[in-house]
Every structure is written in structure tokens, then in C-alpha cells.
Amino acid sequence: MVTFFLLVLLFILHLLLLNPFLAMCQIGREGEWCLLHSSIGISSMHMQLLHNNKVVMFDRTDFGPSNLSLAYGHCWYDPSDNVLKNDCTAHSLLYDIGTKTFRPLMVETDTWCSSGAVLLDGTLVQTGGYNDDDHVVRTLAPCNDDSCDWVEFPGYLSERRWYATNQRLPDGRIIIIGGRRQFNYEFYPRKSESSPSFWLEFLRETRDDDENNLYPFVHLLPDGNLFIFANTRAISLDYKQNRVVREFPSITTNDPRNYSRSGLSVLLPIDENEPIEAEVMVCGGAPRGAFSRAKQGIFDAASRSCRCIKVTDENPSWAMEDMSMPRVMGDMILLPTGDVVIINGAESGTTSWEIGQNPVTRPVIYKPHEVEDIRFSVMSLVTRPRMYHSSAVLLTDGRALVGGSNPHPYYNFTGVQ
């Protein structure tokens, strides 16, 4: 028996020597987490899977130099940057899932709190951002060599887009909805140089003092219209006619769910068999007034409530469920199984540096087809907190890739949590 266990131990050590990556995996009954890289040189504030099994990651550009250099001789100049006008470091990269390698990309405009979507041909279209870059469109077409990089179009958008939401439409276009103090939407690509934006009164009505309607939740419905949720309300929008065709009941609690309270939303899997049903799930967030209280050192508990609504019902209403724990600033990933992973975020406070407290390090699986009492199950502990500006995407092999968190102004990590 001793000889058998010795042989097993030697075999495991042999595997670890052949593949050190295995040594960085944390295995538990409820799943396995592997550290791919201790540092990639940037904070992956945004991530997007491309159709060639690569992931583009990018950070804001006005925090000074990153820890990832651009290719030799490549630098960019921004005379309006208050931190670093000449920058030879990368704020974006392309990560190859198969080889676990990455290369720097050059993005020159500030992507902080921007938004994006992928065209039918696989091109990532990334819109808006911070300060003088809020009218920019950036595109990244996937490639299988080292030839592709960001292409940027300053001044392309008709309105400033900061905290907007993008959704690809059945005709291949992208609709860009809202943004800070923007009660309208527009399309990419535009039809002409003078293509207008379209007013959406719903966005004005749902704005309050804390602007809890930023990054509205948007889902494409089976009838071709858009489900739009902002603050505590939701509508169905016929964007072709610029007409609200339906207003849904307000969510059954008064707590806002959108940024800056940063709840979560997903359109649950749709069975193509008749009759088609579409159900939207909204979870988490922070109580109304949480931002101002957190600035005073009072950190409210985040919401653990989830609400689901079948938007295809004749008389839809919100059904109530509770997550296993409260969560704000989290991410939702729809799995190939039809289940949902709820990951990242904090148990108290709200969105920003240092005012989100008590990291949630236990992801949750939600199984919509299970009976109500056992739909939520808790996964293995994740040792690295992922809070403000963290991100998560589904990979082609079914794994979840997570990154980012709290980059902090100017990458100054002295005296911060």
C-alpha cells in the first residue's frame, strides 16, 4: 500500500514538472480555478471573446504607464493627458487561449466605462469612453497572426457615450443606448455623416440624482424588439419606429439595479419550440442612497434579491428569488448548459474605489430549470477578490475567464485595499 501511494505521488510530481500550470490550479468539490498569469501588465477592465479563440482585454489610458510595453519604437502622444503625454506602454492586449500567450495592442483613446458589441463578421466595435474620447468608435478585426490592432475613429458618434449599452441587432447593425446624461440612442454603422440620434423619454424619466440608469440592461427579444431596463423600470422598444410598445411593471423593490448601483441581468435561454417564452433575470445591486453613504464610511449591505419576468406573457409580473449571498458589481455568464454563473463583486457598499467592501469570493451557479429551493448553489472559493472594474467572459471550451479589479487612479496602490 505504501508503495502504491508513493508511485501516485511521484506521478503527480511528474505531471507538475511537465506542466507547472497545473500547480496553480485550486481544485474543490464545486469546481476548479486556475491562475493563468500572476500579471499581464494591465487591468482587464473590459474583455471580449473573439471568434478565433482569442480574447481582447483593455484598460483605461489616462492612468500613466502600464506594466506592458508596446513593440519597440511604438509610442503614442496625447497632449491633453494630465499624467503622461508620451506613452510607450500598452493599455490593451490580445490573449491566445490555446497557447496562454498574449501580445500588446495599441489603443490611444480612453476606454474607461465605454461599451461594445461584435459584428456578424467577428469585428469588435467599441464605442465611447471618457473625457474627450466619448465620441470615439474603435474597431478590432480578429486575425490569426500579429497583424491586427485597434483602428480608431475620433468624433464618429453623434452624442457623447459614457456608460452606454450596445446590442447587436438582427440586421447586423449595433444600437448604442444612453450614457451619462444622454436620453437617446444611435446606430453603428451610421447611414450618413449627419445621422441623428433618437430621443428616448424613458431614459430621462428613469434618471435620478445618483444616475441609476447608466449601463441600462438591454436584451433582444424574439419579436425583434428590445427589452430595456433602467433604475427600477423596463420597457419593450420598437427601435425601427422609435416607439415604446410596452411598459412592464416596475420591479417589486425600490432599489435601483443599474450603474451606479451595478446589479446584474441576463436573458435566460430560449427554447425554440412553440410557444416561445423569453424570461429576463435581474439580480443584486445596492440600495438607493448607498453611494453617498459609502462616501461617509457607511457601507450598506448589497441586495441578494433576484427578480424574473416572462416578458412574453400577456400579463407579466416579477417573480422573486434570493441569491445565496448579497452582491454588487458582479458579472453574469450564461453557460452552454443553460445555467448562469454569478461571479465577482462585493457584499456591501457600491461601485467605485474603496466604497465597495467585503469581496464576494464564492461564485454562484443558478439553474433555472431546477425547483425553486435548489436553483442556487455555491461554487469553490476564489482567492483573488474581483471588485470595481473586474470582468468575466465565457470561453469556447465552456470555462469562465475572469480578470481585472480596482486599478486605482494612476495605478497607485499605496494605502489602498
Side-chain angles (χ1 to χ4, degrees):
M1 183 65 69
V2 174
T3 303
F4 172 76
F5 282 115
L6 182 59
L7 288 173
V8 170
L9 179 60
L10 289 173
F11 178 70
I12 293 173
L13 290 173
H14 175 66
L15 285 178
L16 294 178
L17 289 172
L18 287 177
N19 188 359
F21 170 72
L22 292 176
M24 296 185 289
C25 289
Q26 178 184 329
I27 303 172
R29 288 186 306 168
E30 301 88 4
E32 171 183 311
W33 293 101
C34 298
L35 177 64
L36 299 181
H37 293 275
S38 58
S39 175
I40 56 172
I42 69 167
S43 181
S44 49
M45 177 178 66
H46 296 287
M47 291 198 291
Q48 174 65 52
L49 175 69
L50 303 178
H51 68 195
N52 59 352
N53 212 34
K54 296 180 181 180
V55 177
V56 58
M57 307 178 189
F58 45 102
D59 196 0
R60 63 185 297 173
T61 60
D62 61 347
F63 270 11
S66 73
N67 286 331
L68 178 65
S69 296
L70 290 166
Y72 180 76
H74 288 71
C75 300
W76 57 282
Y77 175 69
D78 183 358
S80 63
D81 195 312
N82 294 324
V83 182
L84 188 67
K85 299 185 187 303
N86 288 284
D87 195 349
C88 300
T89 63
H91 301 274
S92 177
L93 61 84
L94 196 60
Y95 183 80
D96 189 311
I97 299 166
T99 63
K100 304 182 183 68
T101 59
F102 55 90
R103 67 176 179 88
L105 301 175
M106 181 185 284
V107 61
E108 301 181 43
T109 52
D110 197 351
T111 60
W112 186 32
C113 299
S114 54
S115 52
V118 178
L119 295 174
L120 292 172
D121 67 359
T123 299
L124 171 61
V125 176
Q126 226 278 327
T127 59
Y130 187 46
N131 280 341
D132 55 348
D133 296 321
D134 52 16
H135 284 68
V136 176
V137 166
R138 311 163 194 87
T139 63
L140 180 67
C143 63
N144 291 316
D145 54 20
D146 291 341
S147 63
C148 52
D149 210 328
W150 288 101
V151 179
E152 304 183 60
F153 303 92
Y156 186 97
L157 299 171
S158 64
E159 308 290 346
R160 62 190 301 263
R161 301 295 174 190
W162 191 32
Y163 303 100
T165 298
N166 296 22
Q167 170 67 51
R168 191 175 73 198
L169 302 173
D171 61 10
R173 293 182 299 163
I174 292 171
I175 187 170
I176 308 157
I177 301 174
R180 192 174 190 191
R181 301 189 179 97
Q182 294 298 325
F183 315 125
N184 52 65
Y185 59 90
E186 61 184 291
F187 298 93
Y188 176 92
R190 61 191 180 193
K191 290 184 178 180
S192 67
E193 291 289 332
S194 58
S195 291
S197 60
F198 298 86
W199 180 264
L200 184 55
E201 178 66 14
F202 171 74
L203 293 177
R204 188 196 66 79
E205 293 172 350
T206 53
R207 178 178 179 260
D208 58 22
D209 292 341
D210 287 332
E211 296 188 293
N212 290 310
N213 67 347
L214 303 180
Y215 280 141
F217 302 145
V218 179
H219 304 293
L220 179 65
L221 298 178
D223 62 5
N225 293 325
L226 295 174
F227 175 90
I228 304 178
F229 182 102
N231 205 322
T232 60
R233 294 172 52 193
I235 59 170
S236 176
L237 175 71
D238 179 352
Y239 59 88
K240 296 177 182 177
Q241 303 294 325
N242 189 28
R243 182 172 64 95
V244 174
V245 296
R246 193 174 195 183
E247 180 151 359
F248 298 101
S250 295
I251 204 163
T252 49
T253 63
N254 192 38
D255 292 337
R257 304 295 178 128
N258 298 91
Y259 190 95
S260 58
R261 299 302 161 257
S262 298
L264 316 162
S265 180
V266 68
L267 175 65
L268 294 175
I270 295 174
D271 189 341
E272 293 182 339
N273 296 322
E274 296 291 346
I276 291 179
E277 294 183 342
E279 185 173 11
V280 173
M281 183 178 186
V282 175
C283 294
R288 197 174 296 279
F291 187 89
S292 57
R293 286 190 291 274
K295 287 291 188 180
Q296 301 169 22
I298 304 168
F299 303 102
D300 296 330
S303 173
R304 58 180 294 181
S305 73
C306 287
R307 300 290 185 269
C308 295
I309 186 169
K310 287 188 178 179
V311 295
T312 46
D313 282 357
E314 185 175 347
N315 295 299
S317 60
W318 292 95
M320 183 176 70
E321 295 190 67
D322 282 333
M323 294 184 289
S324 308
M325 59 203 69
R327 194 179 303 255
V328 63
M329 293 188 290
D331 294 280
M332 272 184 173
I333 304 175
L334 191 62
L335 297 178
T337 59
D339 299 335
V340 180
V341 172
I342 306 173
I343 192 171
N344 298 339
E347 288 193 10
S348 58
T350 188
T351 301
S352 196
W353 294 283
E354 309 304 335
I355 64 172
Q357 298 285 308
N358 302 314
V360 186
T361 54
R362 299 296 293 266
V364 169
I365 292 279
Y366 176 76
K367 298 184 177 182
H369 299 298
E370 289 285 359
V371 297
E372 184 173 338
D373 291 341
I374 59 172
R375 286 179 187 155
F376 287 101
S377 57
V378 180
M379 297 177 64
S380 293
L381 179 73
V382 181
T383 57
R384 294 185 177 225
R386 306 282 183 179
M387 296 174 65
Y388 186 46
H389 282 317
S390 56
S391 53
V393 294
L394 179 71
L395 302 182
T396 51
D397 58 11
R399 291 180 299 165
L401 176 67
V402 297
S405 184
N406 277 344
H408 289 287
Y410 317 122
Y411 301 116
N412 179 10
F413 301 109
T414 301
V416 300
Q417 294 184 12

